[in-house]
Amino acid sequence: MARAEGVDRRQFLKAAAIVAGSAVGSAALGGCSSTSAKTDIWSELQRHLNGPLVRPGDSRYQSIARPYNARYATVRPEGIALCQGDNDVSQCILWARSHHVPFVIRSGGHSYGGFSTTGGLLISLRTMNGVRMNADGTATLQAGALNRGLMALLPSHGIMIPSGRCPTVAVGGFILGGGFGFSSRHLGLAVDKLVSTRMVTAEGKIVTVDADTNPDLFWALRGGGGGNFGVNVDYTLATTPVGPLSVYKLGWAWGQAPAAMTAFNQLMAVAPDGLSVRIGLDVSGTAPPVNNPGALSVSAIGQWFGTPAELEFLLAPVIAAAKPTSQVIESLPYQKALEFFAANVPTGSFTEKSAYIGPSGFDASCVETAMTWVERWPGSSNSSAVGFTLFAWGGAMNRPARTDTAFAHRTASWLAVVGTSWNNKDPQETIDTNLTYVGDFYTAMGPFVTSEAYQNFIDPALPNWPAAYYGENLPRLVQAKHDWDPDNAFTFAQAIPV
């Protein structure tokens, strides 16, 4: 391991005295015998921080504590450290381990499985959100930098990096789990652009990680998922000049779904890397579609690194196979293209389940099965992210071998997602019905997909999740976990095991 920096020697020795093998993430909170003793340890933490420690009752607490997925909003931290820099992160880890207080890391709070919530210490990186352009053409992003910050800055430099469409997603977890977006068939995944990162370890040390320094950890961090090995405080990524960019959005009547989607399947099997697509079977409104067939729709959205005329030529076979009811194809500046795609989805309380489709793609029977299940949605007070979505994979994302990085999903043709949502107006019966529905929907799609799933769409109900997320890379990830976090300090329900 590389020589570390930034931690006071006495504090390190204090942390080293913790009981070996204690699983901090599941430890009893505080272990204190009285309320005053608990107050004292939290006051101790505040004295060691440059940033504020927000406790229940603080006017800021409600908005900061709430995770993106409202399904987990009832999990309330006892304290939230708004870290101002690397040292604050180190101090939080040392303090939590020495007092056996459970902790989690949060950059943007978008964990679909609620794994950035805790009843203990929430180590928030939201104020560590700087973006710096470097003389060598790379960009260094702090872990709390949001997509909307990148959308505001990168176009002014005429460069781009792989990023998602949701403005409030932070780069921290996004990069570590792979990180794909509308530019990824052209540029690759975010992990494919990672040059180096700095990480705070379970011992509070700050280590630099790149291809030459700690290369085993560098391999693991490129797809091993967030919160497994330490706290990554910043990332340096290679950038790419933008060039010409065109976007499109197409819509069809519900009955045209098989023709439109299978035409896209045929197109993307041979399309240039510069073409992307997200095509979905969606529901609008809150009533079950059986009572409201007009709520069902089919749409595709994507971009092309080239001119509108070239894009029209590429899309011509799809448009000929299924005539759209709506159509937009236009050239946009990079900034406007990012705004064109920007959408915070899903919203409210939700669950999503993902699976990859193999190299041969899908056929009409896959689409028809998905249509049947979308039509069966039981309804709720929130229709955000209800339905079936396909994201075209391949291109530059599949150029590395499955074992070149920890991200194993390098042979897929599509990423498939099924989802449902609800909100706090809905009774428990409605929630349970929706959870059962999405589980049955996922099972019904089994014959058309592989056993793998996307780790950034983390699913707390996914069976055999280690193999689904990491495939044959799991043993090497377990070894990296053993090397860098042998006491399992960074742990949650789907953490890489020691």
Side-chain angles (χ1 to χ4, degrees), residues 147 213 233 433 496-497:
N147 275 336
T213 307
V233 291
T433 300
I496 293 169

PDB file of all heavy atoms in Angstrom, residues 147 213 233 433 496-497:
ATOM      1  N   ASN A 147     -24.232  16.121 -11.363  1.00  0.00           N
ATOM      2  CA  ASN A 147     -24.329  16.224 -12.824  1.00  0.00           C
ATOM      3  C   ASN A 147     -24.663  17.643 -13.275  1.00  0.00           C
ATOM      4  O   ASN A 147     -24.155  18.117 -14.290  1.00  0.00           O
ATOM      5  CB  ASN A 147     -25.393  15.258 -13.351  1.00  0.00           C
ATOM      6  CG  ASN A 147     -24.848  13.865 -13.560  1.00  0.00           C
ATOM      7  OD1 ASN A 147     -23.654  13.666 -13.738  1.00  0.00           O
ATOM      8  ND2 ASN A 147     -25.726  12.875 -13.532  1.00  0.00           N
ATOM      9  N   THR A 213       0.047   3.284  -8.851  1.00  0.00           N
ATOM     10  CA  THR A 213       0.042   3.342  -7.391  1.00  0.00           C
ATOM     11  C   THR A 213      -1.195   2.620  -6.876  1.00  0.00           C
ATOM     12  O   THR A 213      -2.315   3.034  -7.157  1.00  0.00           O
ATOM     13  CB  THR A 213       0.025   4.813  -6.908  1.00  0.00           C
ATOM     14  OG1 THR A 213       1.086   5.522  -7.534  1.00  0.00           O
ATOM     15  CG2 THR A 213       0.172   4.875  -5.398  1.00  0.00           C
ATOM     16  N   VAL A 233     -12.656  10.605  -2.301  1.00  0.00           N
ATOM     17  CA  VAL A 233     -12.964  12.024  -2.113  1.00  0.00           C
ATOM     18  C   VAL A 233     -12.869  12.821  -3.406  1.00  0.00           C
ATOM     19  O   VAL A 233     -13.472  13.883  -3.526  1.00  0.00           O
ATOM     20  CB  VAL A 233     -12.061  12.658  -1.033  1.00  0.00           C
ATOM     21  CG1 VAL A 233     -12.417  12.092   0.340  1.00  0.00           C
ATOM     22  CG2 VAL A 233     -10.585  12.432  -1.342  1.00  0.00           C
ATOM     23  N   THR A 433     -48.612  -4.439  -3.007  1.00  0.00           N
ATOM     24  CA  THR A 433     -49.076  -4.907  -4.319  1.00  0.00           C
ATOM     25  C   THR A 433     -48.088  -4.501  -5.413  1.00  0.00           C
ATOM     26  O   THR A 433     -47.776  -5.281  -6.319  1.00  0.00           O
ATOM     27  CB  THR A 433     -50.464  -4.340  -4.626  1.00  0.00           C
ATOM     28  OG1 THR A 433     -51.383  -4.781  -3.628  1.00  0.00           O
ATOM     29  CG2 THR A 433     -50.960  -4.801  -5.986  1.00  0.00           C
ATOM     30  N   ILE A 496     -19.436  -5.769  -0.762  1.00  0.00           N
ATOM     31  CA  ILE A 496     -18.527  -6.861  -1.093  1.00  0.00           C
ATOM     32  C   ILE A 496     -18.029  -7.475   0.215  1.00  0.00           C
ATOM     33  O   ILE A 496     -17.546  -6.760   1.095  1.00  0.00           O
ATOM     34  CB  ILE A 496     -17.358  -6.349  -1.948  1.00  0.00           C
ATOM     35  CG1 ILE A 496     -17.891  -5.898  -3.321  1.00  0.00           C
ATOM     36  CG2 ILE A 496     -16.284  -7.420  -2.110  1.00  0.00           C
ATOM     37  CD1 ILE A 496     -16.877  -5.145  -4.136  1.00  0.00           C
ATOM     38  N   PRO A 497     -18.139  -8.785   0.372  1.00  0.00           N
ATOM     39  CA  PRO A 497     -17.769  -9.409   1.644  1.00  0.00           C
ATOM     40  C   PRO A 497     -16.253  -9.567   1.799  1.00  0.00           C
ATOM     41  O   PRO A 497     -15.515  -9.634   0.816  1.00  0.00           O
ATOM     42  CB  PRO A 497     -18.451 -10.774   1.576  1.00  0.00           C
ATOM     43  CG  PRO A 497     -18.505 -11.079   0.109  1.00  0.00           C
ATOM     44  CD  PRO A 497     -18.704  -9.742  -0.584  1.00  0.00           C
TER      45      PRO A 497
END
